[in-house]
């Protein structure tokens, strides 16, 4: 049975720590693991646009001895023409793993259910778990630990990044505090799942509409765009609804003096974050962007290892 990675709690706390440790190892020794030697091919499919994910998966697969096959779904038979299940059955005969950025999360579940090779979610409407591996790795590098730290997420808490922060940070034993206006708070289902995980790891989950209390004393501060891919038609309404939720230096001053700032990017300066914060001394966004590469390589190595164990 192949192991898949579709959402942040598809791995246990111990497994998450294993992947993060391997990511640090691979950052120090980039060509030390070659699971795709052959070379084997990894299909990397995009239904949505991307810069970081496209580059980091392509480079990562090559570093691991394989060949990345980038597929823009508009130029394939996927979508209206051929089902996800049939696509999975074609791919599994020829590639070592499938990486897919898509809209509905259910598509990924269908791909995984029909695939004998690992399927990786490289962003869906509901989760962005590869980004969270990079974020946790970056926090680990800068703070030396994860468990017990407070992370504040201010902004659109109903999107894929917020869901992934909730579940991944709870898995890591962190205290996650989200602030979002009404209508943009996470679903009760995801909050309940994260809270249940946090109860086991010693972390905690807090959701409010007050950015000042959410950020107070935080070790890590983060946000994401107010307008995710697919929500472009709501742009004007969203900008109005998120007034007061910009992370600027005033708000940042309520966090710990040595707090770090993360952003998955792309960022919209002047909206979810001010230029002085994202381009300032507390920002570690370029380490975070680089760590996509190392974290995803670790994930691919780990998933191949796990999948082979079952054979
Ligand atoms: N953070 C992230 O996933 O970036 P891309 O959309 O450029 O891949
Ligand atoms: N929430 C954003 C993340 C981009 C990496 C989006 O889905 O567009």
């Amino acid at each position: 049975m192949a192991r898949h990675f579709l959402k942040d709690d598809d791995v246990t706390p111990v497994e998450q720590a294993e992947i993060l440790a391997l990511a640090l190892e691979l950052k120090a020794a980039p060509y030390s693991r070659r699971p795709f030697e052959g070379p084997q091919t990894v299909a990397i499919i995009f239904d949505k646009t991307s810069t970081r994910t496209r580059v980091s998966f392509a480079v990562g697969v090559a570093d691991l001895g394989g060949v990345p096959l980038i597929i823009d779904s508009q130029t394939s038979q996927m979508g209206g023409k051929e089902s996800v299940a049939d696509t999975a059955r074609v791919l599994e005969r020829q590639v070592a793993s499938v990486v897919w950025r898509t809209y509905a999360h259910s598509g990924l579940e269908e791909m995984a259910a029909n695939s004998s090779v690992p399927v990786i979610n490289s962003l869906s409407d509901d989760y962005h778990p590869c980004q969270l591996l990079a974020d946790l790795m970056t926090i680990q590098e800068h703070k030396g630990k994860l468990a017990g730290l407070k992370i504040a997420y201010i902004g659109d808490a109903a999107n894929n990044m917020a869901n992934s922060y909730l579940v991944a940070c709870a898995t890591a034993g962190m205290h996650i505090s989200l602030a979002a206006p009404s209508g943009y708070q996470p679903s009760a289902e995801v909050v309940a799942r994260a809270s249940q995980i946090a109860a086991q790891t010693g972390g905690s989950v807090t959701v409010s509409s007050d950015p000042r209390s959410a950020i107070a004393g935080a070790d890590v501060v983060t946000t994401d765009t107010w307008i995710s891919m697919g929500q472009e038609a709501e742009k004007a309404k969203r900008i109005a609804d998120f007034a007061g939720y910009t992370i600027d230096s005033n708000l940042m001053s309520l966090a710990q003096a040595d707090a770090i700032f993360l952003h998955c990017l792309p960022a919209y300066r002047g909206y979810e974050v001010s230029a002085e914060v994202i381009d300032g001394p507390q920002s570690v966004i370029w380490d975070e962007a680089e760590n996509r590469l190392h974290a995803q390589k670790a994930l691919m190595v780990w998933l191949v290892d796990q999948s082979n164990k079952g054979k």
Side-chain angles (χ1 to χ4, degrees):
M1 279 280 281
R3 278 293 290 264
H4 307 293
F5 188 63
L6 308 188
K7 50 187 175 49
D8 306 82
D9 57 341
D10 284 348
V11 294
T12 65
V14 169
E15 291 173 340
Q16 183 193 64
E18 274 173 25
I19 295 166
L20 294 175
L22 184 55
L24 289 167
E25 260 176 66
L26 286 169
K27 189 168 185 172
Y31 311 108
S32 56
R33 298 289 297 264
R34 309 281 288 174
F36 299 135
E37 198 80 83
Q40 296 181 341
T41 298
V42 173
I44 308 166
I45 309 165
F46 290 93
D47 297 351
K48 294 179 178 176
T49 52
S50 165
T51 297
R52 274 146 292 273
T53 304
R54 187 179 298 245
V55 173
S56 56
F57 268 108
V59 172
V61 168
D63 283 3
L64 298 177
V67 171
L69 173 63
I70 307 272
I71 301 170
D72 279 313
S73 60
Q74 283 106 327
T75 60
S76 79
Q77 309 289 14
M78 289 181 74
K81 294 178 247 172
E82 189 167 27
S83 72
V84 172
D86 284 2
T87 304
R89 292 180 190 116
V90 171
L91 292 177
E92 69 172 3
R93 300 284 182 106
Q94 300 184 55
V95 303
S97 183
V98 176
V99 178
W100 188 16
R101 166 167 290 195
T102 190
Y103 290 87
H105 192 77
S106 56
L108 280 154
E109 287 167 348
E110 193 181 348
M111 181 78 83
N114 289 284
S115 175
S116 58
V117 298
V119 175
I120 296 173
N121 174 9
S122 59
L123 183 146
S124 68
D125 287 343
D126 293 350
Y127 296 97
H128 195 2
C130 290
Q131 181 68 52
L132 257 290
L133 290 177
D135 286 22
L136 293 177
M137 178 184 177
T138 308
I139 299 166
Q140 177 86 46
E141 283 182 318
H142 284 271
K143 295 282 166 198
K145 63 175 185 177
L146 295 172
L149 294 179
K150 175 175 178 179
I151 178 167
Y153 177 101
I154 316 288
D156 183 3
N159 72 5
N160 42 18
M161 281 301 298
N163 286 343
S164 275
Y165 272 119
L166 274 166
V167 178
C169 293
T171 302
M174 298 176 74
H175 303 290
I176 174 149
S177 191
L178 296 90
S182 121
Y184 299 97
Q185 298 200 344
S187 73
E189 186 265 316
V190 177
V191 172
R193 197 145 49 79
S195 303
Q196 200 176 15
I197 296 168
Q200 287 157 13
T201 59
S204 64
V205 174
T206 312
V207 181
S208 78
S209 56
D210 179 5
R212 295 175 70 84
S213 66
I215 206 170
D219 303 289
V220 182
V221 176
T222 189
T223 184
D224 185 19
T225 180
W226 293 338
I227 302 134
S228 285
M229 289 179 271
Q231 299 172 337
E232 291 78 5
E234 300 165 30
K235 182 173 177 181
K237 175 173 170 30
R238 284 176 164 265
I239 288 172
D241 289 349
F242 283 107
Y245 285 82
T246 302
I247 301 180
D248 56 16
S249 49
N250 258 341
L251 200 55
M252 197 68 192
S253 71
L254 302 176
Q256 297 286 351
D258 63 352
I260 55 172
F261 175 80
L262 295 175
H263 191 309
C264 66
L265 305 175
Y268 301 87
R269 290 168 175 79
Y271 292 99
E272 73 271 13
V273 61
S274 69
E276 58 186 346
V277 169
I278 196 166
D279 299 320
Q282 289 169 281
S283 175
V284 295
I285 55 169
W286 307 124
D287 289 347
E288 180 187 6
E290 179 190 331
N291 284 340
R292 290 292 302 279
L293 170 64
H294 312 298
Q296 288 158 193
K297 283 170 67 180
L299 174 68
M300 289 187 280
V301 169
W302 189 86
L303 287 174
V304 168
D305 278 355
Q306 293 293 316
S307 303
N308 286 340
K309 271 186 197 164
K311 280 187 182 156

